[in-house]
Amino acid sequence: LALSRGGAAGPAGCDLCVDGAAARRCLTCGADLCLFCCQAHRRQKKTASHTVTELENIKDCSQAGKPLFCPSHPTEELRLFCEQCDQPVCRDCIVDRHRQHPYDFTGNVIHRHGDALRELLKSTQQHMGTLEDVLGQIDDMGSAIRSRAEVVATEICLFASGYVKAIEEHRDRMLKQLEDLKVQKENLLHLQKAQLQQLLLDMRTGVEFTERLLTSGSDLEILITKGVVASRLAKLNSVAYNTHPSVDNGIQFSPQERAGQCCGYEVFGAILNKVVDPARCTLHGEDLHSARQNQLTGFTLLCNDTTGQRMGRGGEAVRVTITHKDKRDCAVKPTVCDNGDGTYHVSYNPEEPGLYAVCIYVKGQHVQGSPFTLMVKNKFREHQGVFHCCTFCSSGGQKAARCACGGTMPGGYQGCGHGHKGHPGCPHWSCCGQVKESSECLGGPPSDTSQRSLLRTVAL
């Protein structure tokens, strides 16, 4: 190897060739280069952007820019990077312990490893931003409502500017309604904040008193006041409080909404304060929990607001999943139809029988009754026989005649046979013995004997 030792006298050799003397250094790669190799270094696309400087300038650099030496070989600089061991090495390490390991100059691999660190840094910074946003939700909600109210007021003013007296009067009426709604929401927020502040103050007072009692009070004082203090702390701990703002900023302005008559003119535009509540949405349908294989069926979703009243309009984000409980790769693709009045019809056609899990989401949350289990039965089996009194009678008294009800007449034709063994006492299907004419066949594939008997019965 032609690389020079750290303390050796004389000019250093070029790291890329064995003949030239090092005149410059690539700060990116950390390699010493002769003039010829320096020109080649600048012409290659991979290293054209690297920073190259004179070796004399390197001597004047600060301590931070000085090269680092290998712990195992103190006279060798750490200019290479072993990809297999994932660590910086010197040229002697490559010859010794890292023989046949893939390696490259540190300047050639720093971009890839630096990008990985930057991605981790970016992910951590995103988590920090999320945590900061969560901590400020309560305080930001009041300003969000006021900001939203200002936006809605601007929309209302723009919408009403094209009309004359009737529209101006309608605009003023809506602005008053908006102001009342904003004040109502702010009052609820202020009330919630005051209640939480009072609860916090009571808890802080109780905690400070108890701490002083335990640290400064005598044994007798602690025992005397123990009951009252414990009762007070237990009562404070049992107080229920909402961990989220009691209201939201769900204020919207709908310019397409009909608002009736104003000064003889039909006007449009209304403030919508209704917000869909997934927990109050309901499911309706006769066959909500059962269906037939290869038979189109469905149910209806009714969306309600936070007060339980029907939304009366569509446009909600409804998502439905129907997956087989035993077969992971088996699922049914439903179709959701928005009726525009707050109801949504969900239709589906299952191809496989069995138990399915049905999930209905509105705004990403389960609705009331979701998820639920759906039983898909086998497709409806049609009767392959005839609906008659009994096979023995229909066969003309054949000794070998046999019906699905189990009836036989081994002795041959002896009257109508209505009382023979196994006869159900009423008309029934010859293929399965069902006594109800409009029913599903429960029998399996007929045998050759029953087929011949069935053919004879049909012919008769």
Side-chain angles (χ1 to χ4, degrees):
L1 294 175
L3 296 176
S4 63
R5 300 289 178 173
C14 178
D15 288 342
L16 300 184
C17 68
V18 296
D19 299 329
R24 298 180 182 178
R25 171 173 292 181
C26 178
L27 298 181
T28 307
C29 300
D32 291 340
L33 308 172
C34 66
L35 293 178
F36 178 79
C37 292
C38 181
Q39 295 176 0
H41 203 64
R42 294 183 181 276
R43 285 197 297 268
Q44 294 181 7
K45 290 184 177 180
K46 186 176 181 180
T47 58
S49 61
H50 289 192
T51 303
V52 179
T53 184
E54 300 289 342
L55 281 178
E56 288 76 6
N57 298 335
I58 302 297
K59 300 177 180 179
D60 299 332
C61 292
S62 63
Q63 185 67 28
K66 289 185 178 180
L68 298 177
F69 292 92
C70 178
S72 302
H73 309 94
T75 60
E76 293 294 331
E77 294 184 28
L78 295 173
R79 300 180 180 178
L80 305 173
F81 187 82
C82 179
E83 298 286 357
Q84 180 172 329
C85 301
D86 195 33
Q87 67 179 34
V89 295
C90 69
R91 62 180 181 178
D92 287 353
C93 292
I94 294 297
V95 177
D96 186 14
R97 291 182 299 172
H98 300 268
R99 182 188 300 272
Q100 296 182 349
H101 288 190
Y103 68 93
D104 200 348
F105 285 106
T106 57
N108 295 337
V109 300
I110 186 60
H111 300 292
R112 174 160 48 86
H113 293 277
D115 290 343
L117 285 177
R118 279 186 284 271
E119 287 296 326
L120 288 175
L121 176 62
K122 182 179 179 182
S123 177
T124 306
Q125 290 172 338
Q126 290 176 349
H127 283 295
M128 292 176 60
T130 302
L131 291 174
E132 291 174 354
D133 292 340
V134 172
L135 292 174
Q137 282 184 2
I138 294 290
D139 293 334
D140 292 344
M141 185 53 68
S143 60
I145 291 176
R146 290 189 292 271
S147 176
R148 185 61 184 160
E150 293 175 0
V151 173
V152 175
T154 302
E155 293 178 357
I156 294 172
C157 293
L158 292 175
F159 171 72
S161 62
Y163 287 86
V164 201
K165 181 178 179 180
I167 302 303
E168 292 176 350
E169 182 176 332
H170 180 51
R171 176 197 60 194
D172 296 338
R173 185 172 58 190
M174 288 191 295
L175 288 175
K176 178 62 169 62
Q177 181 184 355
L178 175 63
E179 182 65 23
D180 294 342
L181 182 60
K182 182 189 73 171
V183 171
Q184 178 186 2
K185 286 179 175 288
E186 287 182 333
N187 289 340
L188 290 175
L189 276 181
H190 292 159
L191 176 61
Q192 182 189 16
K193 189 173 183 178
Q195 291 174 344
L196 294 179
Q197 288 175 340
Q198 183 61 45
L199 179 60
L200 179 61
L201 178 61
D202 293 342
M203 287 184 175
R204 184 177 289 113
T205 302
V207 168
E208 292 176 353
F209 178 81
T210 306
E211 288 177 344
R212 287 197 304 269
L213 176 64
L214 293 175
T215 56
S216 303
S218 64
D219 295 345
L220 183 60
E221 290 174 339
I222 293 176
L223 293 176
I224 292 175
T225 58
K226 175 183 71 70
V228 178
V229 173
S231 175
R232 177 58 176 168
L233 293 179
K235 184 177 180 181
L236 289 174
N237 291 334
S238 64
V239 176
Y241 56 90
N242 194 353
T243 57
H244 301 282
S246 58
V247 295
D248 53 32
N249 62 339
I251 308 174
Q252 297 179 352
F253 172 63
S254 176
Q256 296 85 11
E257 199 82 12
R258 292 181 177 271
Q261 296 286 328
C262 183
C263 297
Y265 293 89
E266 185 178 6
V267 293
F268 293 83
I271 295 176
L272 304 179
N273 191 33
K274 282 188 175 183
V275 178
V276 65
D277 186 357
R280 293 182 178 270
C281 298
T282 56
L283 302 172
H284 302 273
E286 295 181 359
D287 298 330
L288 192 61
H289 298 279
S290 63
R292 284 280 183 181
Q293 181 184 8
N294 295 328
Q295 181 175 336
L296 185 65
T297 185
F299 55 89
T300 301
L301 168 66
L302 176 59
C303 289
N304 299 319
D305 62 7
T306 53
T307 63
Q309 296 181 353
R310 185 167 166 177
M311 289 296 295
R313 67 176 187 274
E316 300 296 340
V318 178
R319 185 169 65 92
V320 181
T321 61
I322 305 176
T323 54
H324 202 289
K325 285 194 171 184
D326 298 327
K327 301 179 181 179
R328 293 186 177 181
D329 56 344
C330 180
V332 179
K333 186 177 181 180
T335 301
V336 181
C337 178
D338 187 349
N339 298 323
D341 58 355
T343 62
Y344 301 81
H345 184 69
V346 180
S347 57
Y348 58 95
N349 187 1
E351 296 181 356
E352 292 286 340
L355 286 175
Y356 287 79
V358 183
C359 299
I360 301 95
Y361 304 92
V362 173
K363 297 172 64 175
Q365 302 179 31
H366 282 284
V367 301
Q368 186 180 143
S370 173
F372 64 87
T373 301
L374 169 69
M375 167 60 81
V376 176
K377 302 179 182 178
N378 291 316
K379 60 183 178 181
F380 192 86
R381 300 181 61 181
E382 300 288 346
H383 289 284
Q384 302 298 318
V386 292
F387 192 70
H388 61 177
C389 174
C390 73
T391 300
F392 176 73
C393 297
S394 301
S395 67
Q398 295 292 327
K399 293 183 179 181
R402 179 177 294 275
C403 184
C405 67
T408 58
M409 196 63 107
Y413 181 73
Q414 298 176 6
C416 67
H418 286 178
H420 65 260
K421 182 180 178 181
H423 186 264
C426 60
H428 57 279
W429 285 98
S430 62
C431 50
C432 66
Q434 285 274 61
V435 297
K436 188 176 180 180
E437 185 172 6
S438 58
S439 62
E440 181 181 7
C441 183
L442 301 179
S447 63
D448 294 340
T449 304
S450 61
Q451 278 282 23
R452 289 195 297 271
S453 176
L454 175 60
L455 292 175
R456 180 184 295 275
T457 300
V458 174
L460 290 175

